[in-house]
Amino acid sequence: MKVDKFFQNFELLTDAPNAVVKMQEIIMRLAFSGKLTKRDISDVKVNDIFKEIKFERKRLLEETTFREPKDFKPIHHNEILFELPKEWMWARIGELFLISSGTTPNRTNHKYFENGTEYWVKTTDLNNETVLTCEEKITKQAVLDCNLKYYPVGTVCVALYGGAGTIGKSGLLGIETTINQSVCGIYPNKYVNAKYLHLYIKLIRPLWMNFAASLRKAPNINAGVVNNMVFPLAPLEEQKRIVEKCDRLLSTCDEIEKRQQQRQESILRMNESAIAQLLTSQNPEEFRQHWQRICNNFDLLYSIPETIPKLRQAILQLAVQGKLVRQDPNDESASVLLKKVETEKENLINQKKIKRIDSLPAIDFNNLPYQIPKTWEWVRLGSLVEVITKGSSPKWQGINYVEDSSGTLFITSENVQNYVINVTEPKFVEAKFNEIEPRSILKRNDILMNIVGASIGRTAIFDRDDIANINQAVCLIRFISPEKFIELRYILHFFNSPVCISFMFDKQVDSARANLSMGNIAKFPIPLPPLAEQKRIVEKCDRLMSLCDTLETKLKQGRDSSEKLMEVAAKQVLTA
């Protein structure tokens, strides 16, 4: 693909993930390969420029305090990043520019920072654009005592360390300033356009980031690394033409990115508004109108994969509000169902098969999140279960992990995913752990919930017959005769619904590390439908969730196709 054709189809390629960032990289790669501009025979020859630079550089070294780097090795062919026009040449940055890092004055000396007037650039001031101000200033006394250099407008500053998100960040100085020790300044000269240098530094930043990441002890770069980086030296007039062309194209990229962001934000806002109207509908007719509006605009509202998680959450919320399926007057009501559960529970307690759970507070009907259908009931979770408990750490009990299944399968929070128990990499503990922790031995159809840390609230049904136990980060919830009274998939959908997630995070008792207590879980208010309706809800939910999965996959495949198209087009234009 020719360069002109590539840019004619510029905007057609921008649907790929990070398309604009990739487009910017392509533009700069083309620019520094000499493919964006034409040669001009009247331009001063690069060899003549290089001689002038070396002469000027030698003079400055004699007149300033910049240090002379060690002799530079010839450029190896493995260092060459791409082919240059025959009129250009590769040189090392340190052969063309004077480079130095700065200093941090002693912060305990208030004379160095109090009422400072001199700019002092740190890595946090570098945003890959022009630096026009600094977040901190130092005093002239600090400059004198610490022998700090002033770097003029046109200097390119580079972050030498500060982590993966900072290393290699750069800034083109629009002010005269000093710098600290984590920044190196590439002093400008009249033979290299400052913006041309800065564009190139932005292009090669990933190389420095990768180099720093490969170092174990000190994952940073230093002035030596910057000095030795190869640089495509072009005639000065062509540098200016390249900068002008890049500015136009990169500005177009910014405009495209802005339009894309505005479009995506608009879709997300419309989606959130449509869902909110649906969830807050006050009557069936209002619900029907809002649902019809979503159907009429479905292709727009769900044209990006970022909207699908909200759709899933809306489906679950509608399900537990009683708005996803119709109520059937022939269904046995939830109040009758609850009486049967209470009778069963009393029988189990009398038979000493389960223990009575501490009395639960009555439902406060004036403080419920929404109204439910007349055939439903609000009930505390603890009223429906045999037991709510958690496991223990083997280490606390003096139990060892074992290598094979001769021990007990041990379920931790890592295994409890949303809706799924994942044991692709099973862990086992000594079988005697079950003798020490019999209360938390698992049975098929137990619901497991993560109750500690970042995965708090992840919930799944233990659908296995393995002899297994759990650790202290997992809660076991065992319902009373679920085969007779409860559709467990309905409970699972409720646990994953926005209203229950809200309960969970409202009940965190430790701000330092999120966790849920057994007592708070027992108090969760559950909107309980008739059993027959629970089954209809689960069937409808599962069908809709499957459609969400299909739609999300289709949208992501569309993006993947755009990304592959971008990669093919980029390869063609860069190798043309």
Side-chain angles (χ1 to χ4, degrees):
M1 181 184 289
K2 292 184 178 180
V3 174
D4 290 343
K5 186 176 180 182
F6 178 78
F7 287 115
Q8 286 171 6
N9 296 284
F10 199 62
E11 198 156 351
L12 298 177
L13 300 169
T14 57
D15 285 335
N18 300 314
V20 173
V21 173
K22 292 177 182 178
M23 191 73 76
Q24 290 167 336
E25 180 186 350
I26 291 168
I27 289 168
M28 290 189 286
R29 283 284 301 275
L30 290 170
F32 293 107
S33 302
K35 295 179 179 180
L36 282 188
T37 51
K38 293 181 179 180
R39 313 290 84 75
D40 188 328
I41 59 173
S42 65
D43 290 341
V44 177
K45 299 294 185 286
V46 167
N47 286 336
D48 294 335
I49 293 175
F50 187 59
K51 289 176 185 177
E52 292 288 339
I53 290 174
K54 291 183 74 173
F55 178 81
E56 181 69 11
R57 185 175 170 282
K58 182 179 179 181
R59 184 184 65 78
L60 287 171
L61 282 169
E62 292 171 352
E63 296 177 359
T64 65
T65 58
F66 282 96
R67 293 180 182 178
E68 171 71 80
K70 294 179 180 180
D71 290 340
F72 294 104
K73 294 179 180 179
I75 294 174
H76 192 274
H77 68 87
N78 288 339
E79 297 179 85
I80 294 174
L81 304 180
F82 36 77
E83 187 177 349
L84 297 181
K86 62 182 180 180
E87 296 87 356
W88 298 18
M89 68 176 287
W90 285 106
R92 296 194 187 278
I93 289 178
E95 293 180 285
L96 307 175
F97 303 94
L98 299 180
I99 297 174
S100 177
S101 55
T103 301
T104 296
N106 187 342
R107 286 193 174 275
T108 63
N109 190 334
H110 67 91
K111 294 181 180 179
Y112 291 163
F113 290 92
E114 194 172 301
N115 300 318
T117 58
E118 309 307 294
Y119 287 120
W120 184 58
V121 168
K122 301 181 294 186
T123 57
T124 50
D125 297 311
L126 303 178
N127 60 359
N128 296 321
E129 301 300 334
T130 302
V131 177
L132 297 173
T133 188
C134 302
E135 66 178 8
E136 195 168 11
K137 293 181 180 180
I138 58 175
T139 63
K140 288 185 177 180
Q141 188 68 47
V143 175
L144 291 171
D145 290 354
C146 299
N147 295 316
L148 281 163
K149 295 183 182 70
Y150 284 100
Y151 291 81
V153 172
T155 298
V156 175
C157 291
V158 179
L160 300 177
Y161 47 89
T166 302
I167 289 170
K169 283 181 72 174
S170 60
L172 176 63
L173 293 187
I175 52 174
E176 183 181 68
T177 180
T178 62
I179 61 178
N180 82 348
Q181 81 287 348
S182 61
V183 175
C184 85
I186 306 175
Y187 205 83
N189 66 50
K190 61 184 179 181
Y191 303 101
V192 178
N193 183 283
K195 286 189 176 181
Y196 178 83
L197 169 63
H198 190 217
L199 282 171
Y200 182 70
I201 295 297
K202 289 199 283 188
L203 174 65
I204 62 172
R205 184 190 174 198
L207 300 178
W208 284 338
M209 293 172 67
N210 292 338
F211 172 79
S214 70
L215 303 176
R216 292 184 179 180
K217 291 185 178 180
N220 306 309
I221 60 175
N222 55 38
V225 172
V226 178
N227 267 308
N228 281 284
M229 174 56 69
V230 295
F231 180 82
L233 184 61
L236 180 58
E237 291 305 315
E238 186 162 5
Q239 294 175 34
K240 294 176 182 177
R241 294 194 295 271
I242 287 170
V243 168
E244 183 182 349
K245 188 71 174 283
C246 279
D247 282 348
R248 288 204 310 271
L249 293 173
L250 293 175
S251 177
T252 301
C253 283
D254 291 339
E255 291 171 5
I256 291 171
E257 184 174 38
K258 185 177 180 180
R259 289 200 299 271
Q260 286 180 329
Q261 288 176 344
Q262 289 173 339
R263 176 180 178 273
Q264 180 158 325
E265 289 169 2
S266 176
I267 291 172
L268 291 172
R269 283 196 303 270
M270 288 190 294
N271 181 269
E272 289 177 2
S273 175
I275 292 295
Q277 290 175 336
L278 191 69
L279 295 176
T280 56
S281 300
Q282 298 299 309
N283 55 63
E285 178 58 24
E286 188 177 334
F287 179 86
R288 188 194 66 76
Q289 290 175 0
H290 291 315
W291 176 246
Q292 189 61 49
R293 191 172 295 120
I294 288 176
C295 292
N296 293 342
N297 297 281
F298 195 87
D299 289 345
L300 173 62
L301 292 172
Y302 299 100
S303 58
I304 56 175
E306 288 80 6
T307 58
I308 306 305
K310 289 280 186 182
L311 180 58
R312 289 194 182 95
Q313 290 296 292
I315 291 167
L316 294 177
Q317 189 72 359
L318 292 170
V320 299
Q321 285 181 336
K323 296 178 178 179
L324 196 63
V325 299
R326 293 182 181 275
Q327 281 70 54
D328 187 337
N330 296 317
D331 289 343
E332 182 182 75
S333 70
S335 60
V336 174
L337 181 66
L338 277 177
K339 289 178 182 177
K340 291 182 178 180
V341 171
E342 290 170 7
T343 300
E344 181 84 0
K345 189 171 186 177
E346 284 300 317
N347 289 337
L348 292 172
I349 291 170
N350 293 333
Q351 296 171 27
K352 301 188 183 303
K353 291 183 177 180
I354 65 172
K355 294 181 179 180
R356 189 180 301 278
I357 293 178
D358 293 339
S359 59
L360 297 166
I363 296 284
D364 180 2
F365 291 99
N366 295 318
N367 195 29
L368 290 170
Y370 51 82
Q371 288 189 337
I372 54 176
K374 293 179 180 179
T375 54
W376 291 33
E377 292 287 338
W378 282 104
V379 59
R380 299 284 184 192
L381 176 62
S383 300
L384 302 173
V385 303
E386 291 185 14
V387 65
I388 299 176
T389 190
K390 64 179 180 179
S392 178
S393 165
K395 183 178 179 181
W396 298 344
Q397 307 295 352
I399 298 295
N400 297 313
Y401 284 90
V402 294
E403 294 295 327
D404 55 40
S405 56
S406 61
T408 291
L409 179 65
F410 195 58
I411 302 296
T412 69
S413 59
E414 294 175 5
N415 305 117
V416 182
Q417 305 294 321
N418 281 324
Y419 288 95
V420 175
I421 301 295
N422 184 347
V423 287
T424 52
E425 296 181 4
K427 296 181 283 288
F428 299 93
V429 294
E430 292 178 282
K432 62 182 180 180
F433 187 73
N434 282 344
E435 299 172 13
I436 299 171
E437 288 287 335
R439 184 176 172 83
S440 54
I441 297 174
L442 297 181
K443 294 181 181 179
R444 176 178 279 275
N445 291 330
D446 285 343
I447 287 185
L448 303 183
M449 177 186 292
N450 289 345
I451 56 173
V452 176
S455 65
I456 191 170
R458 282 202 317 231
T459 314
I461 297 171
F462 186 72
D463 54 356
R464 306 169 65 91
D465 294 316
D466 305 77
I467 297 174
N469 214 306
I470 53 178
N471 76 349
Q472 73 281 4
V474 179
C475 168
L476 177 164
I477 304 169
R478 184 173 297 148
F479 282 80
I480 295 170
S481 303
E483 69 283 356
K484 293 193 289 186
F485 307 124
I486 298 293
E487 176 57 58
L488 290 177
R489 289 280 297 177
Y490 169 77
I491 299 296
L492 205 58
H493 287 321
F494 171 73
F495 282 151
N496 283 277
S497 70
V499 65
C500 189
I501 290 171
S502 176
F503 292 156
M504 291 176 185
F505 283 89
D506 284 346
K507 298 302 182 183
Q508 290 176 18
V509 295
D510 185 348
S511 58
R513 190 182 187 204
N515 70 85
L516 287 166
S517 70
M518 305 299 98
N520 282 328
I521 293 172
K523 294 173 186 175
F524 281 174
I526 304 284
L528 188 68
L531 181 58
E533 189 171 346
Q534 291 178 41
K535 295 179 184 296
R536 293 197 299 275
I537 289 171
V538 167
E539 182 183 353
K540 186 73 171 283
C541 264
D542 289 349
R543 191 165 68 249
L544 292 175
M545 290 299 180
S546 177
L547 291 173
C548 284
D549 292 342
T550 301
L551 178 57
E552 188 173 42
T553 298
K554 181 180 178 181
L555 292 172
K556 287 181 177 179
Q557 285 174 343
R559 281 192 174 174
D560 290 343
S561 297
S562 296
E563 186 171 16
K564 288 176 182 176
L565 179 61
M566 166 72 84
E567 289 173 356
V568 170
K571 185 176 181 180
Q572 288 179 349
V573 75
L574 289 171
T575 57

